[in-house]
Amino acid sequence: MSNAFARNRPLWLALILAVVALALVFVAGWWFGRVAERSHEAKEVAHAAQPAPRDSALGRADLTQIDGLRRGIPVDQEAAPLPMARVQNLDVKRERAYPMQPPTIPHAIDGYQVDKNSNRCMLCHARANAEKFQAPPVSVTHYMDRDDQFLASISSRRYFCNQCHVVQTDAPLLVNNAFEDIDQVLAAAEAGTATAEAAGKVQ
Ligand code: HEC
Ligand code: HEC
């Protein structure tokens, strides 16, 4: 060993120096990393200490503004994000706002694939399968082509269900909505007193 060392002395020295240099670089990197991390943490703490403006003061209460997504928070300030909305999965059919409204979907549709080869929705909503799954079969319009001829299977015009039917979430309203149901309009007209506007506000 000592012979080998003596023979390759410069080589060994270079090796030892390289190892020491590498160790130094490693320690320096670790140390700088910690310093950077601490200053980042400090910034985050400072950020948390002054809370971003919440929607109670600015957004949700004032549903008349159209700036629904930013909720009135100035562009140079970061908004506290609203909680993620959950898809309603109550299995209770909802009222339709007008006779030809595509009904909203009262159940979750996660992972229900609709593509060229398969249509998961029709597993339950096809006329032939509806009984088994106790699902409402798609109405006759879904079997009609554009010339009003009835087809044996779902019309290609109605194949992509989510074009017209959508799930609903529990997200709060972003902007106000003054939609009036035709029954409310008629009731208001009949009553003769209340204006249609007032009827809309009853909701
Ligand atoms: C596992 C069976 C099943 C699948 C798959 C399914 N549904 Fe349903 N669907 C039902 C049942 C059952 C109902 C009746 C209400 C309930 O129990 O949720 C329903 C209700 C509906 C309604 C409400 C109808 C009304 O009159 O209000 C719509 C719209 C609807 N589904 C659309 C879809 C769409 C679009 C898909 C595919 C993305 C789909 N469904 C996939 C079983 C299913
Ligand atoms: C082009 C829009 C459109 C597409 C695409 C569409 N629907 Fe509909 N759907 C409607 C409309 C409008 C209604 C309500 C009037 C009617 O029955 O035609 C309806 C009604 C329904 C109903 C209620 C039927 C009843 O008698 O109460 C179900 C269930 C339904 N659709 C499921 C589906 C499914 C499943 C698909 C995909 C295979 C689909 N729809 C594709 C527009 C559409």
Side-chain angles (χ1 to χ4, degrees), residues 89-96 102-110 112-114 119-125 130 133-136 138 160-162 165-167:
N89 193 20
L90 304 172
D91 286 333
V92 178
K93 291 186 193 177
R94 299 189 194 88
E95 189 188 354
R96 299 185 200 181
T104 52
I105 306 174
H107 54 73
I109 57 165
D110 300 319
Y112 287 178
Q113 196 157 340
V114 177
N119 187 320
R120 184 67 180 193
C121 310
M122 291 303 276
L123 172 73
C124 301
H125 287 287
F133 291 99
Q134 287 298 297
V138 295
F160 294 103
C161 319
N162 306 124
H165 298 283
V166 287
V167 293

Side-chain angles (χ1 to χ4, degrees), residues 66-190:
I66 56 162
D67 182 18
L69 282 175
R70 280 211 65 79
R71 289 166 280 138
I73 294 160
V75 281
D76 61 345
Q77 289 176 40
E78 202 172 329
L82 295 176
M84 295 262 287
R86 273 166 309 180
V87 168
Q88 286 181 344
N89 193 20
L90 304 172
D91 286 333
V92 178
K93 291 186 193 177
R94 299 189 194 88
E95 189 188 354
R96 299 185 200 181
Y98 54 93
M100 278 302 287
Q101 183 209 308
T104 52
I105 306 174
H107 54 73
I109 57 165
D110 300 319
Y112 287 178
Q113 196 157 340
V114 177
D115 61 22
K116 185 162 76 72
N117 302 317
S118 83
N119 187 320
R120 184 67 180 193
C121 310
M122 291 303 276
L123 172 73
C124 301
H125 287 287
R127 183 189 55 81
N129 303 345
E131 187 198 355
K132 190 159 135 210
F133 291 99
Q134 287 298 297
V138 295
S139 62
V140 67
T141 54
H142 295 58
Y143 292 98
M144 285 157 75
D145 69 9
R146 64 179 175 184
D147 300 320
D148 288 354
Q149 296 298 303
F150 297 103
L151 309 167
S153 58
I154 190 94
S155 164
S156 50
R157 303 152 82 213
R158 295 277 168 120
Y159 188 82
F160 294 103
C161 319
N162 306 124
Q163 232 176 292
C164 305
H165 298 283
V166 287
V167 293
Q168 301 290 291
T169 69
D170 60 2
L173 279 185
L174 285 176
V175 288
N176 206 5
N177 180 346
F179 176 79
E180 287 166 27
D181 190 299
I182 185 65
D183 289 341
Q184 288 169 327
V185 176
L186 290 179
E190 265 170 34

Side-chain angles (χ1 to χ4, degrees), residues 7-21:
R7 247 188 284 133
N8 298 320
R9 204 170 173 181
L11 194 77
W12 282 108
L13 280 178
L15 226 143
I16 289 164
L17 270 177
V19 168
V20 169

